Amino acid sequence: AISLARIGSSGINAEYGEVGRLCYIRLGDNAGKTCVIVDLVDQKRLLVDGPHCGLARQVIRLKNLAITDLKVKIARGCKTNVVRAAVTKEDIANKFLQTSLSKKAESKKAKAALGDFDRFKLRVAKTAHNRKIRSAVRKLKKSS
Amino acid sequence: VEPGCFLQGHLPRSSVLLASDGLSLELNGLLNGRSGGDLVPPYSALIPLLEISRSAVYRKRALYKRNKIATTPAAKETVEFKTKTVAGEKNGGTRKVPLQKAPRFYPTEDCKVPLKNRKTVKQTKLRSSITPGTVVILLAGAHRGKRAICLKQLPSGLLLVTGPYKINGVPLRRVDQAYVIATSTKVELPALPAIGDEIFKRKGKPTKNEKEMFVDSAGDSGYKISAEKIALQKEVDAAVVPAVKAVDMLQSYLRSRFTLTKGQYPHEMQF
């Protein structure tokens, strides 16, 4: 019997740490890569494999992961080449790029890479943007 | 003990000595066919390898038995005098004149002569991120936090920097590269007038001989910017400001100051 490690069920999207689920690695050396859950070690640890992004098969802690709602159909404990075949068949890597999690990670990376001039331009743009919103809100308040 | 470990040294060749004594064969065996020419260690280092004592080495080498080569060089013939003919009947006709005259003056005490200084002064190496036209954040001084344009590196090693003055009030100024953060923003600079360290040198205080007995300190109005500097600033601004205006938002960027807000850590930021 496979015990499912339940992670933060919000009612609408109850994401489970189950075999075949795609996870995004948040922390550690492999941060930024995605992996597929192959087996469960215990309540806190999972055996993952990420042949599509060069991640070796390894045991990883749940706290270093962010579970996505994408899933791949594989058997528990299957070999890496089976995982690879399943991942390419369902094109999970590209599907992941469409998710908001992936987009947020990308924007965070881009923000960290901004130079001093870029940061200035961003600040100016943000100020102008917020000013427009505030003036529109003020107008609405006045008229009501 | 591995022979190889001793051959890590940087010791001079002693192959001549090696060939002439009976230890060479043993050594060859140790070197395993490698040419030990440049890496031959002294015999003291070889003793643990060859497992013979220092006195045994001495006996084996038997340098005391060998023919000693006379090493005294032949004495050079130094010509010290030159014979010169002298005019006049009673002057002896010729005179010996030394080629090197004795000095006219001898110091009363033999003073120590300082060692020769063979150091050459090199210009400070500039960080690769700082090039002419780089926008630079000034970190210290009256203009701290301001963004200025680095014009070039002066012969003294300091950076020549300008706001431009018209844009943010930073004049033509010398700044050390250590007090500066180089950003990745670069401006295309046109040809600028030649500027050296001389304009920046301040006139020193008058020496005792120059000064009068009582100096009127009230008359000393402090440092005044020379007209030459003002003119030079105008010239540089006329060249640089159009280059700045050509880039979108660069002027307002140069007018703004650099600050750190919450969550910003310089070691984590890209400039």
Side-chain angles (χ1 to χ4, degrees):
Chain A
I2 311 160
S3 58
L4 299 170
R6 227 169 142 194
I7 300 99
S9 62
S10 57
I12 307 161
N13 277 320
E15 261 120 47
Y16 295 80
E18 58 179 326
V19 173
R21 195 148 291 280
L22 189 80
C23 300
Y24 171 79
I25 303 176
R26 290 168 37 233
L27 308 163
D29 296 332
N30 296 308
K33 293 188 182 157
T34 53
C35 55
V36 173
I37 297 175
V38 171
D39 203 348
L40 297 127
V41 178
D42 60 19
Q43 270 289 75
K44 293 184 180 176
R45 291 181 294 166
L46 308 163
L47 177 70
V48 299
D49 204 344
H52 54 282
C53 43
L55 183 78
R57 180 177 267 232
Q58 60 193 262
V59 172
I60 201 169
R61 288 202 85 97
L62 255 184
K63 80 164 172 84
N64 297 343
L65 297 174
I67 313 254
T68 65
D69 52 6
L70 297 167
K71 194 167 173 256
V72 161
K73 197 169 182 189
I74 49 166
R76 180 178 74 94
C78 67
K79 294 226 167 172
T80 305
N81 49 357
V82 175
V83 177
R84 188 185 291 120
V87 162
T88 47
K89 182 174 166 220
E90 302 199 28
D91 200 20
I92 213 90
N94 284 326
K95 281 195 190 152
F96 176 70
L97 293 173
Q98 317 301 327
T99 60
S100 66
L101 176 66
S102 161
K103 288 179 186 163
K104 277 189 187 160
E106 277 296 310
S107 73
K108 202 176 179 187
K109 213 173 160 185
K111 210 174 177 186
L114 286 179
D116 194 49
F117 191 19
D118 302 321
R119 253 177 271 127
F120 170 78
K121 286 191 216 169
L122 180 70
R123 193 165 20 107
V124 167
K126 219 178 179 186
T127 320
H129 181 254
N130 290 338
R131 192 171 281 151
K132 274 191 200 152
I133 295 171
R134 262 189 287 123
S135 68
V137 167
R138 231 180 285 128
K139 269 197 205 128
L140 285 172
K141 274 193 179 171
K142 244 189 175 175
S143 62
S144 68
Chain B
V1 174
E2 268 196 311
C5 69
F6 288 101
L7 301 177
Q8 305 289 322
H10 321 283
L11 300 157
R13 265 183 105 101
S14 49
S15 54
V16 175
L17 289 168
L18 213 62
S20 62
D21 43 53
L23 284 172
S24 63
L25 281 173
E26 291 182 61
L27 233 149
N28 255 322
L30 281 169
L31 295 172
N32 294 324
R34 273 178 273 162
S35 66
D38 289 314
L39 302 168
V40 176
Y43 275 108
S44 52
L46 290 174
I47 288 163
L49 298 178
L50 304 170
E51 293 184 333
I52 48 172
S53 65
R54 224 196 303 172
S55 51
V57 173
Y58 176 77
R59 268 182 273 123
K60 255 200 168 168
R61 287 184 85 196
L63 286 173
Y64 52 85
K65 285 189 189 169
R66 298 202 194 153
N67 294 326
K68 290 200 178 129
I69 310 159
T71 50
T72 48
K76 268 196 211 163
E77 276 195 50
T78 46
V79 183
E80 282 180 20
F81 294 96
K82 185 174 136 187
T83 35
K84 265 190 162 176
T85 47
V86 182
E89 291 175 354
K90 300 178 188 171
N91 289 332
T94 59
R95 203 162 292 171
K96 261 193 190 170
V97 173
L99 282 172
Q100 273 194 325
K101 271 187 173 178
R104 268 183 172 201
F105 169 76
Y106 287 97
T108 46
E109 287 170 13
D110 282 328
C111 301
K112 278 191 181 172
V113 178
L115 291 172
K116 274 194 178 168
N117 182 3
R118 294 200 180 90
K119 293 183 188 168
T120 48
V121 181
K122 266 208 291 187
Q123 196 189 40
T124 322
K125 192 172 174 203
L126 202 59
R127 258 184 280 158
S128 58
S129 53
I130 305 175
T131 61
T134 310
V135 173
V136 120
I137 301 170
L138 303 174
L139 296 174
H143 305 282
R144 70 190 79 106
K146 287 192 185 169
R147 294 164 171 117
I149 300 176
C150 171
L151 299 176
K152 66 176 200 180
Q153 186 184 24
L154 295 167
S156 63
L158 301 170
L159 301 175
L160 177 66
V161 130
T162 185
Y165 183 74
K166 243 189 163 179
I167 293 176
N168 57 14
V170 177
L172 277 168
R173 201 170 202 275
R174 292 191 297 179
V175 146
D176 193 294
Q177 61 171 322
Y179 293 93
V180 131
I181 295 179
T183 64
S184 51
T185 319
K186 313 246 184 242
V187 183
E188 280 284 327
L189 288 180
L192 295 168
I195 306 168
D197 286 292
E198 313 81 47
I199 344 158
F200 298 103
K201 290 238 157 86
R202 295 220 181 168
K203 263 207 300 188
K205 286 192 185 151
T207 57
K208 253 189 184 174
N209 301 322
E210 291 175 20
K211 242 177 8 175
E212 288 174 348
M213 271 292 265
F214 298 101
V215 181
D216 183 16
S217 56
D220 184 25
S221 49
Y223 172 68
K224 270 209 198 109
I225 309 165
S226 64
E228 181 200 4
K229 249 192 177 171
I230 296 172
L232 188 63
Q233 182 75 62
K234 285 207 176 126
E235 207 184 330
V236 169
D237 279 1
V240 179
V241 169
V244 166
K245 288 197 171 162
V247 182
D248 190 31
M249 292 180 83
L250 188 64
Q251 187 173 351
S252 48
Y253 172 60
L254 290 174
R255 288 182 71 91
S256 69
R257 293 233 196 181
F258 173 76
T259 51
L260 288 172
T261 57
K262 197 159 95 172
Q264 282 190 315
Y265 306 104
H267 69 286
E268 285 179 358
M269 289 160 74
Q270 292 284 327
F271 287 95

